[in-house]
Amino acid sequence: MRCSFQKDCAAPTQENFRQMRFPIVISLVLLLFFCGESVAADAANQLKFSTTECKLKEPIYGSTFDFSGLHSDLAHVVKSMNNGGDQFEFNICGNLSRTCNGESNVAACLKRQGKEYILGRQHELFYNNGNMYLKYKSGAKCDNGTADNPNYQLNIRLYCDYTLDAQPMHITPYANEACSFYISYRTPLACLSIPEGLQSNSCRVGDTKSNGTFDLMPLSDSNYRTSNRQGAFFVINVCKPVLYGENSMCPAGSSICLFDSKATNPKERFINFGNVQTHPVVEKGQLLLRHESPTPCAKNSSANYTSVIYFSCDKFIRNAHPEFAGLGADSCTYQFNFVTPLACNDLKPCTAFTSTNELLDLSSLSSKPARTLLKDGKNYTIAVCAHAGAPCQENGGACYEQNSTTISLGNSNSQLRFNQTGSLYLLYEDGAECSTATGMRRWSTKIEFVCANNATKDNGASTAGGSDSLKIIEDSNCQLLIQYQTPLACREPIRCKATTYVDHTNDGLGSSGDELIDLTPLISATDNYEARVELPASMEHLVPKTTKFFLNVCRPLVPKYQLGCAGGSAACMAKVTAAGAPEEERSMGFPLVSLTQRNRTFAELAYLKGDPCPSDNTTELSTHILFNCNMRAGRGQPVLRSIEDCAYRFEWETNVFCPPHECTFSADTCDLVHDELGRRFNFKSAPFTKDGKIEIDYNATKMSVNICGAHRKAMTDYSQALVNIFFTHESPNCGREGTMNVQIRLICSDQTESSSTISSDQQCNLLYVQRTPSICEFLSLGTTQQNFETNGSTSSSTSSSTSTTTSTTTQASPAGKPTKAATSTTTTTVGPDPAATPIGPTASVGTILGAILSVTFCVTCLGLLAFSPARRQRVRRLFRRSNSAVRYSRVQSNEEANLLLEPNGEFTESDDDMLL
């Protein structure tokens, strides 16, 4: 058969090109996609490696992490409070100086009930996306080992911490039959170095309005994350650089950086949006930190990025964290709002808030007479938060007498402060002149407050005002150092926060990282929680009908009349009389172990060393509370589920640590819609608006702000019992461009009260706070959600503010029950388009060329995959994505939880590896 050149073999026509274009484009897109996947896999591989040395080179910036400074001449020792006093001894960058179970050359050893078990003879240092940990290998055989992990094993996770904590090491709770153990070690050696000129141990500024001091350093204990509402998020630290860690690999010295998970080049994944700033300022009454970045702005290469954090006061907030407010008019300035008690300027004298927003009140010490101490022939007179009186000078807080001469050691004040390690102190300055080797300076007095409680056995002397509660520690270099032991300095005994690694993606390149589980909103200083009893029928006989259970969270029970459990108990069981009075109380444990995470939606508290068990006097009562995230549960209530070996196990469904949920905002109806719960909130009918509008006092006029409209972003924040609304408002008289970034905080409360803060710079920023019971149902909270400490609110304003209170109705009750909600889910499946044209039996030239290109593409991909196991695994994951899901599963053997990415597939990591 011959072809007609003019008809069949002619050059392709425009119609031929149109036929060819689609398959060619599809092939090119597929080729680029798979190559992109391959490049992403290579980027991931660069961020995952191990070494047998004791140092490693950071893969993004080239810095070296050298952990040889953690080597001990003897050993690091960590004891477990939870498992019969198990003691872990290990060394880093070397072996123990003694034998373990009769063997030498051992790096880690477990002491348990008089026996010793080798946990490892050497360790390997691992790096995984910023997470650094030591894995000790070649341990002794474990009776409960598996085929994959038959031996004992110790893992040390290294966390960045710029301060030297008194207790830098903590053991993760484990089951008695566990073979793998996990210890966290916080150390500056896991941090990037702070560039010169950015180092500081202070982060405070004076307030001329109250003559007090704003101290923001307590906020530097942890990183914060806030979404930019465009698929990326900011990693933020306050007063310190971002703490280096898993998917927190921000440039050295940066306090604010944007994590763009979509960037394939690791060096472009973290962008510096502001260097560390340790000098807060008060501008027009507004407390703020202004962070300058060395990174050129994408919208204006002649300018660099700037980030501004505006701090606003709320005395009663728990789990304080910043929120991204919006972009400035210059498209290079980023604004953030941070609501925290540390921004309050009307605190009671001699009081202070901790980094966890716990109030420490030492004001009662100011009314006590000045104390007199004798040392080295000097008579010292010291008062706390008050004038010391004679023989000191008129404003003196401390002085000493010697040879009939009085020397001032500093003027009194009532500004409590925290040092780098979080310890509370009082500093008196501007005393008499004093000579030192480096020249003249003035005397000062530093009073450090030390917790005195039952554990230290010195609370009796302290409360009785004995001389041993106030001690001179040092008198040198023109400073008097005093330690004051008092129960007023005692903080919540355990940490009520825990971090857990969360993988939000199937491929590991998304916005994964450490997230904070925080149960501090459940801590009650006014009431205790009463648990429901829902035991299996086989256990009902263990609890008489007249028995009640009282608990608190991460702290001792609030003292109540006739509730006579041992002081400091966090859980108590009591027989209740017909009149409702508790009797025959038994302590069910003390808060000795900090909160531990199982995964992002499960956490556990254990209260230990309670009274002897009624059924076995050799065993102590203990309490175990499993917290479960449930958005429908509100604050929730503890429920007794089982009793095993004198251990009472409670389950507590609550939404206070559930992740934020993005809601839908309807511009047409002005409805806020929680799609998952099937709930709506209409702003036009809300009691605090006028047809969806709120009025703000600004520049002696009323400014109307319309909540309704397009481009609104709404996020729930269950930890603070609120909904955040973000949008931009046109305001011709505000800022350079006449626009205003708006953040509205709708807080569930038994009060109706509003306050506003407007910060006017190049770009105006409005923070509007509305407390209202009308939003409670939307958040699955009863109208008793509220301020546990007191009925009241504080607001700080700049240009203007308005605050009104119209009602205060219901007393807070921690024992509130979950709100039941009925929802329905509708799934719609879209079928094939009936008008679609089926592919015919004939093929065009374009189809043939497309097939050739497709074959070429497949051969190329096979070549790429042949030499890279990681790429092969990557493609296998890609084709399994349609069937993958994220679920959480309880693991009974080690009481840990595993994030199962593919329920029907094989697992690539062990359950224990999820902790690293």
Side-chain angles (χ1 to χ4, degrees):
M1 174 181 176
R2 292 186 305 170
C3 73
S4 170
F5 180 81
Q6 292 182 343
K7 184 174 182 180
D8 297 322
C9 302
T13 64
Q14 187 175 7
E15 180 65 27
N16 293 140
F17 276 116
R18 279 197 296 268
Q19 295 174 351
M20 294 163 58
R21 182 171 56 192
F22 181 74
I24 291 174
V25 169
I26 291 296
S27 298
L28 289 175
V29 168
L30 288 172
L31 181 60
L32 290 173
F33 178 78
F34 275 90
C35 287
E37 287 279 309
S38 177
V39 170
D42 289 340
N45 292 337
Q46 295 175 20
L47 301 177
K48 187 175 183 179
F49 57 89
S50 65
T51 176
T52 56
E53 297 183 8
C54 210
K55 60 183 178 180
L56 59 83
K57 187 174 182 180
E58 200 278 337
I60 299 179
Y61 312 109
S63 301
T64 298
F65 291 108
D66 187 348
F67 298 105
S68 58
L70 299 180
H71 178 76
S72 172
D73 292 338
L74 298 175
H76 299 289
V77 179
V78 181
K79 290 185 177 181
S80 172
M81 299 289 296
N82 223 2
N83 300 79
D86 287 357
Q87 180 171 297
F88 296 84
E89 296 183 9
F90 65 93
N91 212 338
I92 295 177
C93 306
N95 291 328
L96 298 173
S97 58
R98 68 170 190 85
T99 61
C100 177
N101 195 30
E103 296 188 32
S104 58
N105 297 323
V106 174
C109 182
L110 168 63
K111 283 185 171 183
R112 171 182 286 174
Q113 297 177 351
K115 296 183 179 180
E116 294 184 340
Y117 304 86
I118 297 174
L119 299 181
R121 291 178 172 83
Q122 69 274 336
H123 63 64
E124 187 173 359
L125 177 59
F126 286 81
Y127 181 96
N128 184 1
N129 286 283
N131 175 21
M132 293 175 284
Y133 59 95
L134 297 163
K135 181 174 286 189
Y136 291 73
K137 298 183 177 181
S138 302
K141 185 176 179 60
C142 179
D143 293 338
N144 300 309
T146 63
D148 293 333
N149 296 295
N151 302 329
Y152 282 109
Q153 188 177 88
L154 178 64
N155 302 275
I156 309 293
R157 186 171 180 184
L158 303 163
Y159 285 92
C160 166
D161 191 340
Y162 285 103
T163 60
L164 293 172
D165 292 340
Q167 295 180 335
M169 294 171 288
H170 299 277
I171 182 77
T172 299
Y174 54 90
N176 289 326
E177 67 271 15
C179 298
S180 296
F181 308 95
Y182 301 84
I183 294 176
S184 62
Y185 197 144
R186 300 189 177 275
T187 169
L189 298 180
C191 304
L192 293 175
S193 60
I194 304 178
E196 289 189 15
L198 299 179
Q199 301 177 0
S200 177
N201 294 326
S202 174
C203 192
R204 62 173 63 96
V205 63
D207 177 33
T208 56
K209 182 178 178 181
S210 64
N211 293 324
T213 301
F214 292 116
D215 188 356
L216 300 178
M217 186 60 78
L219 297 176
S220 66
D221 288 348
S222 60
N223 294 335
Y224 306 92
R225 295 190 175 207
T226 179
S227 172
N228 73 342
R229 300 186 289 279
Q230 293 182 352
F233 60 89
F234 295 96
V235 185
I236 300 173
N237 200 296
V238 178
C239 302
K240 292 288 184 183
V242 168
L243 304 179
Y244 192 94
E246 193 150 20
N247 281 336
S248 299
M249 300 98 80
C250 294
S254 61
S255 266
I256 301 175
C257 79
L258 182 70
F259 176 31
D260 183 5
S261 61
K262 299 176 183 177
T264 56
N265 185 347
K267 294 185 178 181
E268 299 174 355
R269 199 171 293 173
F270 296 90
I271 305 171
N272 185 346
F273 271 66
N275 280 337
V276 60
Q277 175 60 264
T278 59
H279 301 289
V281 296
V282 179
E283 295 181 357
K284 300 178 182 178
Q286 172 71 62
L287 176 64
L288 60 90
L289 277 172
R290 183 172 282 107
H291 300 263
E292 304 293 341
S293 168
T295 309
C297 176
K299 300 292 181 66
N300 182 3
S301 59
S302 63
N304 292 346
Y305 287 116
T306 299
S307 296
V308 182
I309 304 179
Y310 298 102
F311 296 89
S312 299
C313 166
D314 187 333
K315 293 180 181 178
F316 314 111
I317 194 173
R318 291 278 189 173
N319 189 19
H321 51 263
E323 298 281 359
F324 173 55
L327 187 63
D330 59 358
S331 297
C332 299
T333 301
Y334 286 73
Q335 297 180 332
F336 302 85
N337 290 322
F338 201 141
V339 181
T340 168
L342 297 178
C344 299
N345 58 4
D346 59 347
L347 296 180
K348 183 180 178 182
C350 214
T351 62
F353 280 100
T354 68
S355 60
T356 57
N357 304 326
E358 179 187 359
L359 179 66
L360 296 180
D361 187 350
L362 274 62
S363 59
S364 61
L365 300 180
S366 64
S367 61
K368 291 188 175 184
R371 300 289 297 279
T372 301
L373 302 176
L374 178 63
K375 186 174 180 61
D376 298 334
K378 299 178 183 178
N379 284 317
Y380 292 86
T381 302
I382 302 106
V384 176
C385 296
H387 301 325
C392 298
Q393 296 178 357
E394 182 179 357
N395 297 323
C399 66
Y400 75 84
E401 277 187 301
Q402 189 176 35
N403 301 326
S404 301
T405 302
T406 301
I407 304 297
S408 173
L409 301 180
N411 295 327
S412 67
N413 65 71
S414 58
Q415 302 300 317
L416 295 178
R417 305 179 183 185
F418 294 94
N419 62 18
Q420 278 186 282
T421 60
S423 297
L424 192 66
Y425 72 94
L426 188 64
L427 184 63
Y428 296 157
E429 298 178 290
D430 296 326
E433 286 192 345
C434 174
S435 176
T436 67
T438 58
M440 298 297 294
R441 57 185 299 182
R442 290 188 174 273
W443 273 99
S444 64
T445 297
K446 185 177 183 181
I447 305 174
E448 294 181 340
F449 296 96
V450 180
C451 170
N453 55 25
N454 290 332
T456 62
K457 304 300 182 184
D458 53 18
N459 61 318
S462 219
T463 54
S467 60
D468 58 343
S469 65
L470 192 67
K471 297 179 181 179
I472 295 177
I473 303 300
E474 188 177 349
D475 180 359
S476 63
N477 202 27
C478 300
Q479 185 179 68
L480 175 66
L481 177 60
I482 293 175
Q483 284 190 352
Y484 196 139
Q485 293 183 341
T486 169
L488 300 176
C490 295
R491 303 169 62 170
E492 290 160 358
I494 58 175
R495 183 174 171 82
C496 211
K497 299 179 181 180
T499 56
T500 183
Y501 180 75
V502 180
D503 189 351
H504 293 286
T505 62
N506 293 332
D507 58 14
L509 290 178
S511 56
S512 307
D514 285 335
E515 292 189 9
L516 187 68
I517 294 177
D518 189 349
L519 292 183
T520 55
L522 289 178
I523 299 174
S524 174
T526 57
D527 289 287
N528 301 314
Y529 293 91
E530 182 180 338
R532 296 202 315 270
V533 178
E534 295 183 6
L535 290 170
S538 60
M539 295 184 180
E540 287 182 348
H541 69 282
L542 299 176
V543 178
K545 297 293 184 182
T546 57
T547 302
K548 288 191 175 182
F549 298 88
F550 303 94
L551 301 90
N552 212 321
V553 177
C554 297
R555 60 150 288 162
L557 292 165
V558 177
K560 293 291 182 180
Y561 179 65
Q562 293 184 326
L563 186 60
C565 273
S569 301
C572 179
M573 59 187 297
K575 180 181 178 182
V576 179
T577 65
E583 61 181 13
E584 298 182 21
E585 300 93 334
R586 290 181 182 269
S587 170
M588 298 171 62
F590 295 79
L592 302 174
V593 182
S594 294
L595 179 73
T596 57
Q597 82 289 353
R598 289 193 173 183
N599 54 39
R600 182 59 182 87
T601 58
F602 285 91
E604 186 173 11
L605 267 180
Y607 300 148
L608 309 173
K609 299 185 181 299
D611 287 340
C613 180
S615 59
D616 181 4
N617 287 332
T618 62
T619 304
E620 296 170 332
L621 293 173
S622 64
T623 299
H624 301 264
I625 311 173
L626 179 64
F627 295 90
N628 176 20
C629 159
N630 182 349
M631 286 191 293
R632 304 178 188 277
R635 298 184 67 86
Q637 182 182 11
V639 180
L640 179 62
R641 294 294 190 188
S642 67
I643 305 172
E644 300 174 6
D645 300 327
C646 301
Y648 288 70
R649 300 189 179 277
F650 297 81
E651 292 184 2
W652 192 330
E653 291 192 337
T654 177
N655 66 13
V656 298
F657 72 101
C658 290
H661 178 80
E662 182 170 354
C663 301
T664 303
F665 197 98
S666 173
D668 297 332
T669 62
C670 205
D671 276 339
L672 181 66
V673 182
H674 196 305
D675 307 281
E676 191 160 334
L677 298 184
R679 292 198 171 138
R680 291 177 174 265
F681 182 84
N682 185 267
F683 283 100
K684 289 189 174 182
S685 59
F688 54 85
T689 71
K690 295 180 180 178
D691 195 31
K693 298 178 181 178
I694 55 176
E695 285 190 341
I696 308 293
D697 288 331
Y698 181 59
N699 287 345
T701 62
K702 292 287 186 181
M703 180 175 63
S704 179
V705 177
N706 192 357
I707 300 178
C708 307
H711 310 297
R712 269 58 175 163
K713 289 283 188 177
M715 302 286 293
T716 62
D717 186 340
Y718 292 106
S719 67
Q720 298 184 12
L722 60 82
V723 178
N724 276 309
I725 313 291
F726 302 95
F727 59 94
T728 302
H729 173 70
E730 298 294 331
S731 180
N733 298 323
C734 195
R736 190 174 68 180
E737 300 294 331
T739 58
M740 175 186 292
N741 290 325
V742 179
Q743 178 186 353
I744 297 179
R745 291 166 57 88
L746 297 178
I747 303 175
C748 170
S749 175
D750 57 357
Q751 307 169 10
T752 298
E753 180 178 80
S754 65
S755 63
S756 63
T757 302
I758 297 179
S759 305
S760 181
D761 202 345
Q762 289 187 354
Q763 174 75 24
C764 283
N765 177 64
L766 167 64
L767 175 64
Y768 183 83
V769 179
Q770 178 67 60
R771 298 179 186 273
T772 173
S774 62
I775 196 66
C776 295
E777 184 179 354
F778 183 84
L779 292 167
S780 299
L781 296 166
T783 55
T784 57
Q785 164 67 31
Q786 358 319 344
N787 312 314
F788 274 72
E789 311 300 333
T790 182
N791 289 323
S793 174
T794 302
S795 66
S796 136
S797 63
T798 305
S799 301
S800 64
S801 69
T802 175
S803 179
T804 58
T805 302
T806 58
S807 64
T808 302
T809 55
T810 313
Q811 183 181 359
S813 173
K817 297 183 178 181
T819 302
K820 295 183 179 180
T823 61
S824 61
T825 304
T826 303
T827 304
T828 304
T829 303
V830 181
D833 184 354
T837 304
I839 297 177
T842 59
S844 65
V845 175
T847 304
I848 295 172
L849 289 176
I852 295 173
L853 285 173
S854 299
V855 172
T856 304
F857 152 75
C858 292
V859 172
T860 304
C861 287
L862 288 173
L864 289 171
L865 296 173
F867 298 99
S868 175
R871 289 175 183 146
R872 292 197 297 272
Q873 177 65 16
R874 188 80 168 182
V875 173
R876 281 198 295 269
R877 287 183 183 176
L878 177 70
F879 285 104
R880 286 203 300 249
R881 281 179 187 170
S882 59
N883 294 324
S884 67
V886 176
R887 77 180 184 190
Y888 291 97
S889 173
R890 295 178 62 180
V891 180
Q892 299 296 331
S893 62
N894 200 19
E895 293 188 340
E896 298 294 345
N898 185 18
L899 177 63
L900 308 179
L901 295 178
E902 300 176 68
N904 298 320
E906 60 185 10
F907 303 132
T908 58
E909 294 181 317
S910 70
D911 298 340
D912 291 333
D913 288 340
M914 297 303 294
L915 294 174
L916 296 175

